[in-house]
Amino acid sequence: MKVAIVGASGAVGQEFLRILAERDFPIDELVLFGSQRSAGRKYTFKGKDYEVKLLQHNDDFKDIDVAFVSAGGGTSKEFADTITKYGTVMIDNSSAFRMDEDVPLVVPEVNPEDALNRPRNIIANPNCTTIMMVVVLKPLDDITHIKRIHVASYQSASGAGAAAMAELQQQYKEIVESGQASTINKFPHQLAYNVIPQIDVFTDNGYTKEEMKMYNETRKIMHTDAKCSAMCVRVSSLRSHSESVWIETERPLSVEEAQKAIAAAPGCTLKDDPSNLVYPMPLETAGHDDVYVGRVRKDLSDPNGLTLWLSGDQIRKGAALNAVQIAEYLVKVGDIK
């Protein structure tokens, strides 16, 4: 199998390399693509060095079976036809095509079969916060339909990329050395010692684009009529996102039922023993594949309500790992060989 990574120098691109190696994805030939800035850089994969090629409108994708693309929405839109015109399956990590009717939006633990119906040979990788939430909600929705979702996210600096992580570290350094942070580029305000109740730009209804992604993408992935109201917040952790989630179900769902379903669900790890101070935290979930769940309890305001806390590495499950799992599913069912 011939595999390409577009955006190989970015945080998600680098994670693609690690995950493909860790999971021993069947690769006979690997090609790395990047912008003018990253072309020529070399990266090691399974002991062999690969040089990043400049992404261009040519025939470079002619023999490539699957392309993992994480180079921003603008690049995805511009190069989609170039990437797919000879039959390459494009698994895109941007928001460019997620809500297009003819592009499946896939989380393998939830709706893998959707990946088989792709008229444009594009499969969209959902937003990181949506991915982690639906992985946890799927086993609960299988028991009793989820009617309503409220979620508050606590999203780390890494959600804005490698440069944002470096900026947060730089801000802390500046504060220690001079008492104030002078480097503020990737976020609208200082993030160090702070939380920012804004991720992405605001829309006309007062919600941000990130919050609307959670509303729209959840419905598409889960094939549900559930409505999701989100408040997305940037916090000063370095890596891994967390979420507080409240759900209303058609019938009451007991804590024990929910815990049992989550513990048995693929992609989930139950870590729920609050009496011993055991619950998921970003420091512990970073670098792991599963979404970790704790603080499962009844919603005191709603007899049909349940609330829980989750945390997961959004660069892995929220981005690169989910895309690789999509490709693994296609290989498993013989859709790509």
Side-chain angles (χ1 to χ4, degrees):
M1 185 182 301
K2 192 170 181 179
V3 173
I5 298 175
V6 179
S9 298
V12 176
Q14 290 295 292
E15 202 69 25
F16 276 133
L17 289 171
R18 284 187 285 270
I19 290 173
L20 289 167
E22 288 171 9
R23 298 173 74 87
D24 199 24
F25 188 82
I27 297 176
D28 299 305
E29 189 174 344
L30 177 66
V31 187
L32 307 182
F33 292 96
S35 64
Q36 193 85 45
R37 187 176 66 254
S38 61
R41 293 183 187 176
K42 291 184 178 180
Y43 298 103
T44 301
F45 178 77
K46 290 189 172 182
K48 182 180 176 181
D49 288 339
Y50 293 84
E51 185 172 319
V52 178
K53 298 179 65 173
L54 179 64
L55 182 64
Q56 301 180 81
H57 291 291
N58 54 23
D59 291 336
D60 280 346
F61 290 87
K62 190 169 185 178
D63 299 317
I64 289 173
D65 298 288
V66 59
F68 299 103
V69 182
S70 184
T75 299
S76 292
K77 287 182 178 180
E78 180 185 346
F79 284 90
D81 290 343
T82 297
I83 293 169
T84 60
K85 70 178 177 180
Y86 292 110
T88 300
V89 177
M90 175 180 175
I91 302 179
D92 184 53
N93 199 61
S94 79
S95 61
F97 308 107
R98 288 175 185 161
M99 298 312 299
D100 290 9
E101 288 188 8
D102 55 356
V103 174
L105 185 66
V106 177
V107 176
E109 294 91 342
V110 181
N111 62 329
E113 298 86 359
D114 287 2
L116 303 177
N117 181 19
R118 47 175 196 278
R120 294 160 62 184
N121 247 2
I122 301 171
I123 302 170
N125 214 35
N127 185 49
C128 53
T129 45
T130 306
I131 288 174
M132 294 191 296
M133 185 177 72
V134 299
V135 166
V136 175
L137 295 189
K138 173 64 163 61
L140 305 181
D141 193 60
D142 285 344
I143 299 172
T144 176
H145 176 55
I146 296 171
K147 298 167 59 179
R148 188 171 287 107
I149 306 160
H150 291 90
V151 55
S153 72
Y154 305 80
Q155 299 179 222
S156 65
S158 58
M165 297 168 71
E167 180 172 308
L168 177 60
Q169 292 172 314
Q170 178 65 22
Q171 286 179 359
Y172 278 120
K173 181 175 183 289
E174 291 168 352
I175 290 168
V176 169
E177 292 177 350
S178 67
Q180 64 180 16
S182 56
T183 303
I184 304 174
N185 298 312
K186 300 299 291 184
F187 305 108
H189 303 279
Q190 173 187 315
L191 184 58
Y193 297 117
N194 197 19
V195 297
I196 303 172
Q198 176 192 353
I199 297 177
D200 214 324
V201 298
F202 286 98
T203 64
D204 291 342
N205 64 2
Y207 286 79
T208 65
K209 279 189 174 181
E210 184 85 353
E211 292 157 354
M212 291 310 300
K213 287 174 189 175
M214 296 196 76
Y215 177 91
N216 292 312
E217 293 179 21
T218 298
R219 291 161 69 88
K220 183 173 180 179
I221 297 162
M222 295 183 68
H223 301 285
T224 182
D225 59 356
K227 293 181 170 64
C228 175
S229 181
M231 168 71 84
C232 293
V233 181
R234 186 76 67 190
V235 298
S236 57
S237 56
L238 196 62
R239 181 161 173 162
S240 272
H241 290 352
S242 301
E243 302 173 28
S244 292
V245 185
W246 292 260
I247 61 170
E248 180 187 340
T249 52
E250 283 191 342
R251 72 159 175 85
L253 186 62
S254 73
V255 170
E256 293 73 24
E257 274 184 295
Q259 289 173 323
K260 183 178 179 181
I262 291 167
C268 294
T269 293
L270 185 69
K271 190 173 183 181
D272 194 8
D273 185 9
S275 63
N276 288 306
L277 310 184
V278 175
Y279 32 71
M281 294 180 291
L283 278 176
E284 299 169 344
T285 60
H288 294 278
D289 290 346
D290 276 6
V291 181
Y292 289 75
V293 185
R295 300 286 322 270
V296 181
R297 59 202 190 278
K298 294 295 292 183
D299 183 346
L300 298 180
S301 70
D302 186 343
N304 282 22
L306 201 72
T307 184
L308 57 86
W309 170 262
L310 65 85
S311 183
D313 188 325
Q314 91 295 340
I315 298 179
R316 291 184 73 87
K317 182 52 187 170
L321 174 62
N322 195 76
V324 172
Q325 288 175 312
I326 292 170
E328 287 174 340
Y329 171 78
L330 297 179
V331 171
K332 179 182 176 182
V333 300
D335 195 55
I336 56 174
K337 300 175 181 179

